Amino acid sequence: MADSELQRLFSASRAVEPDVAAELESMMRLHEVSAEDLFYKWESYCMKLDLDAGEALTLANVRNLKQSMMDELAKAAATPATDMASKHKAERRATGTPRAAANGGGGGGDMYGMLDGLMPSTPTTARGSSKLGRAAAPGSAGGNSLRKRMEASKLASSPAGGMAEQLADMGSGLPHSSFNDRQNAGDVVEVLNGHLASATPPTSDYTAPRIKLTAASDQKKMAYKPLAMKLSEASEILDDRIDDVATLVQRHHGLDDGAFGNPASQGTTEIVAVGRVASDAPEGRLNAASLVLETSRRTGMGFRVPLKMDAVKGWSVFPGQVVALRGTNATGAEFVVREVLEVPLLPNAASTGSALAAHEERMRPRDPDAMSDDYDNDEPPPPLHMIFAAGPYTADDNLNFEPLHALCEQAADEHADVLVLTGPFLDVDHPLIAAGDFDLPEEAAAEADTATMVTLFRYLVAPAIARLAAARPHVTVVVVPSVRDVLDKHVSWPQDAMPRPGTGLPKAARLVTNPMTLSANEVVMGVSAQDALWELRAEELSAAGAAGGDLLARLCRHMIEQRHYFPVHPPTDRARLPRTGTLDGGVATGAMLDVSYLKLGEMVNVRPDVMLTPSALPPFAKVVESVLVINPGYLSKRRGAGTYARMTLHPPKIEGDGLQSHRVFDRAKVEIVRI
């Protein structure tokens, strides 16, 4: 059983070597952890060292992980002894502090000799003397202690040099590598629908955009005032979400009003309870002992009741998930769950045949000098070429944005129709940005006295996008902000669009909100720069043999079932998020949720055809519940190049004029590519 679990989690595509499997089983027995928990530790270890979790599964790396876990265990065991020693040391220091006598007197002396040599009336004391205030012995090296301390604490004359030294000491000690020296550039890491043909550059440039962007989200509502959250409004939003799901479940399963009840009330009658999964422990991960169901004020007066899930097989929950459970509370102490009711999904996106025909006509290349009947309508138009990328867009040791420039050049060479860029662009978690230790480009020297982060964006980020728009006038660039963008004053999620004035972005760049649901021709696309997948993986609690062996697909299914781009509540503790390179201990910015406006993070009306969810988890492209879910990965890692996603979308087959599903997952080829 353990072998099959290890095989499924660690290497689904190839067999795990026997010695590696034996070492993993030894670690499971030694640390008393499950295969899934060990896999989480392995993934975190690989991310810390910037390794590919699949390719790095060697005996040497597994033994290094084992040693790392042993070191953490030893450190945790040594902590109580250290705390006790500190306590005893503090108790010894709790006595009165003697003062040095000045000129043999008993008062007005220089405590600790801080004024040695600085004031004429202050005698110089000897550091080697046994008593404070005793004169220095002849020939002793008495001196100015304050001046020595000041000299010892002087910073390097060049701030950039000091930052370079600090960057060298950060992280795991991995060497910095030049972007131009990157390995395997252009390699395809993963392919979905590999049997479909890839897009090929046209013989001549397209003269007009081949897509029409339409916003499905109400962007005006995103312009709310951040940092003004009220507790009453937040609680109402959370309660309304529970009540809305209860209505959906009742309609979907055909239940009467009497079938629902308060799970916190004692009774032997079986009821259906709808509430939010939560933990009654103030800290730590959700576990079976701390699992509770939080009700709304309308259905259960806001009470929380412990859940007992022993009778349910293959369940998986996370904090913030709104669920419908069938069971009883015979003792009044816990709600015994017998069945987890399905929450209905949003309908698939669909269009009429005439609308699809109009979009197909737009995809046909046009020659402005040719007559309207000089092209064959029977030939299918060339497929659309879309590129998806997510920030950061530069490594930790520079602000050159070389990966972004390389991506825009690639988009120009391939005649991409759409380029979707999600933030962060100027990342608040970037060491140089966080420390303010960088130089403006030479061309911005004239604005040095008035420069802001908008100036930095205009000279470092915008030129790559502007050159792409100038080279390929038909391209459409979609810019999605992140809560980590220092340029955007809207610091909470859901997040308003990035302000355009002063950025230097071309007209081809469309600035949208985070999250955003939009249509590119007929394709409904949902985009969010928030890393929901990482937090779902960090907070999820699942039974042994939980539904589906594919962890990433299960996490995506949570988002689709909850109809929300960030269903986790409360978000993961910042200390448990992936470390950054900043000098404050590398603590990440976090989710920055504004609970009062979480409804703006919901999916709009239909399931998206394509859902773009950038994450620190390994990049992938999967079909989950008829939704093509893409994690392009980060374009730049902290110390190296990253990945992006390339999608070739073939035109649909039009069948009559009635409504028909878009079925993008059948006609889209997606490739995860190394930049």
Side-chain angles (χ1 to χ4, degrees):
M1 180 63 182
D3 290 342
S4 61
E5 279 290 301
L6 292 174
Q7 179 67 46
R8 178 178 64 83
L9 292 169
F10 283 83
S11 182
S13 58
R14 60 182 181 182
V16 178
E17 296 180 4
D19 51 352
V20 174
E23 196 69 34
L24 293 173
E25 291 177 359
S26 172
M27 294 164 64
M28 291 169 58
R29 291 191 300 269
L30 180 63
H31 296 279
E32 296 182 349
V33 296
S34 65
E36 190 170 24
D37 288 339
L38 183 60
F39 175 67
Y40 290 159
K41 291 181 180 293
W42 167 248
E43 273 198 334
S44 300
Y45 178 77
C46 290
M47 289 178 186
K48 179 181 177 182
L49 296 183
D50 200 13
L51 300 174
D52 188 310
E55 298 177 0
L57 191 62
T58 62
L59 183 60
N61 287 334
V62 170
R63 285 178 174 171
N64 289 338
L65 171 64
K66 184 177 182 179
Q67 184 61 43
S68 175
M69 294 172 64
M70 294 295 292
D71 292 343
E72 291 179 2
L73 191 62
K75 183 178 179 181
T79 301
T82 305
D83 293 343
M84 186 61 69
S86 301
K87 181 179 179 181
H88 291 328
K89 189 174 182 180
E91 290 175 353
R92 289 197 301 270
R93 287 179 176 175
T95 58
T97 303
R99 293 181 178 271
N103 298 327
D110 173 22
M111 185 171 68
Y112 303 130
M114 293 183 67
L115 301 180
D116 287 353
L118 295 181
M119 299 292 291
S121 60
T122 306
T124 301
T125 58
R127 288 286 170 237
S129 60
S130 60
K131 292 184 180 180
L132 291 172
R134 180 176 295 178
S140 63
N144 184 350
S145 61
L146 178 60
R147 187 172 300 164
K148 289 179 181 178
R149 284 196 295 271
M150 291 174 63
E151 292 176 355
S153 63
K154 280 184 180 178
L155 297 176
S157 59
S158 170
M163 176 57 65
E165 294 174 1
Q166 293 163 353
L167 285 172
D169 295 336
M170 287 179 188
S172 56
L174 294 176
H176 293 282
S177 59
S178 170
F179 179 76
N180 294 327
D181 297 335
R182 65 193 185 280
Q183 301 293 322
N184 306 319
D187 282 4
V188 177
V189 179
E190 183 177 336
V191 181
L192 179 69
N193 291 336
H195 62 281
L196 297 176
S198 299
T200 56
T203 55
S204 59
D205 291 347
Y206 298 124
T207 57
R210 298 201 301 148
I211 68 158
K212 179 182 179 182
L213 278 185
T214 307
S217 301
D218 190 350
Q219 297 193 77
K220 293 181 180 179
K221 292 183 178 179
M222 294 287 192
Y224 64 88
K225 183 180 180 181
L227 304 178
M229 185 169 60
K230 297 180 180 179
L231 186 61
S232 58
E233 295 177 356
S235 63
E236 288 177 5
I237 290 296
L238 295 176
D239 280 354
D240 289 346
R241 181 160 173 77
I242 295 176
D243 296 338
D244 291 344
V245 172
T247 303
L248 292 173
V249 170
Q250 181 178 12
R251 189 181 306 149
H252 179 71
H253 293 278
L255 302 174
D256 297 330
D257 292 340
F260 294 86
N262 181 3
S265 299
Q266 182 178 0
T268 57
T269 304
E270 190 173 73
I271 63 170
V272 174
V274 180
R276 179 179 295 102
V277 174
S279 172
D280 66 351
E283 297 179 353
R285 283 187 59 179
L286 180 69
N287 55 63
S290 64
L291 179 62
V292 297
L293 184 71
E294 180 181 271
T295 62
S296 69
R297 286 173 291 184
R298 185 177 70 85
T299 60
M301 296 181 289
F303 286 154
R304 287 183 168 188
V305 57
L307 293 178
K308 188 174 183 180
M309 306 285 290
D310 296 346
V312 182
K313 295 182 179 180
W315 53 271
S316 173
V317 296
F318 61 89
Q321 181 180 9
V322 181
V323 294
L325 308 174
R326 192 192 300 273
T328 58
N329 186 354
T331 63
E334 61 184 7
F335 188 74
V336 180
V337 182
R338 186 179 64 83
E339 180 186 3
V340 179
L341 298 183
E342 178 187 12
V343 177
L345 302 176
L346 285 168
N348 285 321
S351 299
T352 61
S354 58
L356 293 176
H359 294 314
E360 182 176 313
E361 186 66 20
R362 186 179 294 107
M363 291 170 60
R364 296 185 183 279
R366 296 281 184 167
D367 184 354
D369 298 327
M371 300 297 291
S372 60
D373 56 354
D374 284 350
Y375 58 89
D376 188 0
N377 273 331
D378 295 333
E379 285 290 326
L384 289 175
H385 187 187
M386 301 183 179
I387 294 178
F388 308 105
Y393 293 96
T394 188
D396 272 7
D397 58 346
N398 66 78
L399 290 176
N400 297 330
F401 288 89
E402 293 169 308
L404 178 61
H405 286 272
L407 179 71
C408 290
E409 291 174 3
Q410 189 71 20
D413 293 341
E414 297 177 356
H415 292 254
D417 295 289
V418 181
L419 174 62
V420 180
L421 302 174
T422 67
F425 297 93
L426 296 181
D427 189 1
V428 70
D429 288 339
H430 191 286
L432 300 181
I433 297 291
D437 193 356
F438 54 85
D439 295 326
L440 288 174
E442 294 181 0
E443 52 269 27
E447 304 178 42
D449 295 337
T450 59
T452 63
M453 285 298 171
V454 177
T455 309
L456 197 65
F457 183 93
R458 183 167 67 251
Y459 285 101
L460 295 182
V461 179
I465 302 174
R467 280 195 290 270
L468 169 62
R472 300 289 180 256
H474 72 281
V475 72
T476 300
V477 182
V478 180
V479 179
V480 185
S482 165
V483 293
R484 288 162 50 185
D485 270 308
V486 295
L487 186 65
D488 200 340
K489 295 180 180 179
H490 202 282
V491 296
S492 57
W493 192 93
Q495 186 180 18
D496 197 10
M498 187 183 299
R500 181 184 287 271
T503 58
L505 290 172
K507 291 183 178 180
R510 308 291 182 86
L511 307 184
V512 300
T513 60
N514 173 29
M516 182 67 187
T517 302
L518 50 87
S519 295
N521 287 354
E522 80 279 4
V523 180
V524 179
M525 190 184 308
V527 185
S528 175
Q530 200 83 329
D531 191 351
L533 294 178
W534 173 276
E535 302 210 11
L536 281 169
R537 196 212 67 168
E539 300 295 339
E540 184 192 39
L541 171 65
S542 58
D550 191 338
L551 172 65
L552 296 176
R554 190 170 73 235
L555 300 180
C556 298
R557 188 173 291 106
H558 284 318
M559 297 178 64
I560 297 170
E561 288 178 348
Q562 292 293 298
R563 308 181 176 196
H564 205 279
Y565 290 108
F566 195 86
V568 183
H569 182 78
T572 303
D573 184 5
R574 295 170 57 200
R576 294 171 53 200
L577 295 175
R579 292 288 177 180
T580 67
T582 55
L583 300 180
D584 58 354
V587 179
T589 299
M592 305 292 289
L593 297 185
D594 193 318
V595 182
S596 301
Y597 293 91
L598 280 185
K599 193 171 182 63
L600 297 177
E602 294 180 352
M603 299 178 186
V604 181
N605 300 329
V606 295
R607 268 178 282 170
D609 295 313
V610 178
M611 187 167 70
L612 186 64
T613 59
S615 174
L617 296 179
F620 64 85
K622 295 182 180 294
V623 179
V624 182
E625 300 292 353
S626 302
V627 178
L628 177 54
V629 186
I630 301 175
N631 169 23
Y634 295 157
L635 192 67
S636 176
K637 299 179 181 179
R638 290 183 55 192
R639 287 178 171 83
T643 57
Y644 67 96
R646 180 171 60 205
M647 185 173 82
T648 301
L649 182 63
H650 293 267
K653 295 180 180 179
I654 303 175
E655 301 172 353
D657 196 34
L659 280 176
Q660 66 179 75
S661 178
H662 297 160
R663 299 187 64 84
V664 170
F665 58 89
D666 273 343
R667 52 190 179 93
K669 179 180 181 179
V670 183
E671 300 166 290
I672 306 297
V673 188
R674 298 185 190 274
I675 185 62

